[in-house]
Amino acid sequence: MTTQPALSFPGDNWGQVLAEFQAARPIFLEAYLRQMGLSDLERAASRDRIPDLIRRVLPDSSAGFGLVGGFGIGKTCALAAMQRHWVEAVIDQEMAWLLKNAQDGYWLAQAIKHGRFSWLQLYSWVNWPTAIDAQRAKLFVHNMQYDVETWIQDKLLSNKVTVILDDIGAERVTAQDWAGEVLGRVIDERLRWGRPTLWTSNLDQVALIERYGARVYSRLQALAPPIYLPKLPDLRRGSTK
């Protein structure tokens, strides 16, 4: 379970209850974003940093989609900011319910301690090239099949309500083609169960088909249709939005 901030919430002193929650809210937020898998830089993403051309094409719904475009244009920032905004809304909604329904401060503290927000762990953020390269080394170098299968099950498959795959296609190309096998398996199962999946890539349609095959790309389109972004400046080189 995600580590929670220490909250005393004594008796029926609701003024202190509210004050402690307000002070702890940023800790809750950072803890859950970290648990989902976002890095320090990704957790710092905010909606006002998303380039306007990307912000205008982002869907309003929570259904799956992909963002495809050049290097450094803000795709990861956009999805990270969306996740931060979503987690903020969930925490506020859940805390409002708790504050309304709690009999006293002790009940409220226990509800939080024992996982009122534990279902947030059903959301995962995966930096695809880093994760795939690490898991492939475990499988083919260290022969850790059980650990790799556990990771796939825990992070990618249908037990996760929503999965974000950042930067697919950027993993190393090897003779085993194991990354394409895993991606195809993930797409098939998440498509079967209707689980929302978000993704980013620097590769266009032709390059994605060359990398993973026409079948995988076709099913990826059905699961999470790509949004092809216009050419934008590389923000990592100091270009202005």
Side-chain angles (χ1 to χ4, degrees):
M1 180 182 296
T2 302
T3 302
Q4 305 287 0
L7 303 174
S8 59
F9 290 162
D12 293 317
N13 186 349
W14 286 103
Q16 185 168 346
V17 168
L18 293 173
E20 288 199 20
F21 165 62
Q22 290 300 328
R25 182 180 179 276
I27 304 174
F28 278 112
L29 176 61
E30 294 304 313
Y32 282 109
L33 290 173
R34 186 182 299 110
Q35 186 277 328
M36 288 170 67
L38 279 74
S39 69
D40 292 347
L41 184 62
E42 290 157 353
R43 292 197 307 275
S46 60
R47 297 173 76 179
D48 59 0
R49 293 176 55 200
I50 303 174
D52 290 340
L53 285 174
I54 295 181
R55 188 184 295 112
R56 286 199 286 267
V57 301
L58 289 176
D60 294 329
S61 71
S62 59
F65 65 91
L67 293 178
V68 180
F71 298 98
I73 65 174
K75 303 184 297 297
T76 297
C77 175
L79 291 192
M82 287 179 66
Q83 294 309 299
R84 185 179 190 88
H85 176 72
W86 179 83
V87 171
E88 285 178 327
V90 168
I91 289 175
D92 288 344
Q93 180 181 24
E94 292 292 284
M95 285 304 304
W97 186 94
L98 285 169
L99 291 171
K100 180 179 179 181
N101 291 281
Q103 291 92 13
D104 55 42
Y106 178 79
W107 187 96
L108 177 62
Q110 290 301 304
I112 294 171
K113 179 180 179 181
H114 293 293
R116 174 69 190 181
F117 302 104
S118 61
W119 59 273
L120 275 172
Q121 297 180 30
L122 297 178
Y123 292 73
S124 68
W125 176 287
V126 177
N127 180 278
W128 182 256
T130 300
I132 284 295
D133 289 345
Q135 297 300 319
R136 182 163 43 197
K138 286 184 179 181
L139 182 62
F140 293 104
V141 178
H142 304 292
N143 200 31
M144 300 168 65
Q145 291 96 335
Y146 178 81
D147 288 2
V148 172
E149 181 60 27
T150 298
W151 176 81
I152 293 172
Q153 292 287 341
D154 287 349
K155 293 291 288 185
L156 299 174
L157 296 183
S158 60
N159 61 316
K160 292 294 184 182
V161 175
T162 296
V163 167
I164 301 96
L165 305 175
D166 187 37
D167 212 9
I168 66 172
E171 73 279 3
R172 291 185 300 108
V173 178
T174 66
Q176 293 99 348
D177 190 31
W178 184 73
E181 177 185 328
V182 174
L183 183 61
R185 178 181 171 188
V186 171
I187 291 170
D188 283 349
E189 180 154 339
R190 297 190 65 79
L191 186 61
R192 178 186 175 200
W193 292 100
R195 300 297 195 190
T197 306
L198 287 72
W199 57 280
T200 70
S201 183
N202 299 321
L203 303 183
D204 61 16
Q205 176 178 344
V206 173
L208 284 169
I209 290 174
E210 289 178 352
R211 175 67 61 90
Y212 300 118
R215 179 188 180 277
V216 169
Y217 181 77
S218 173
R219 296 179 76 79
L220 179 62
Q221 280 191 307
L223 173 68
I227 298 170
Y228 288 95
L229 300 171
K231 186 174 182 180
L232 294 168
D234 185 342
L235 302 178
R236 299 191 187 104
R237 296 182 178 179
S239 302
T240 58
K241 299 184 184 67

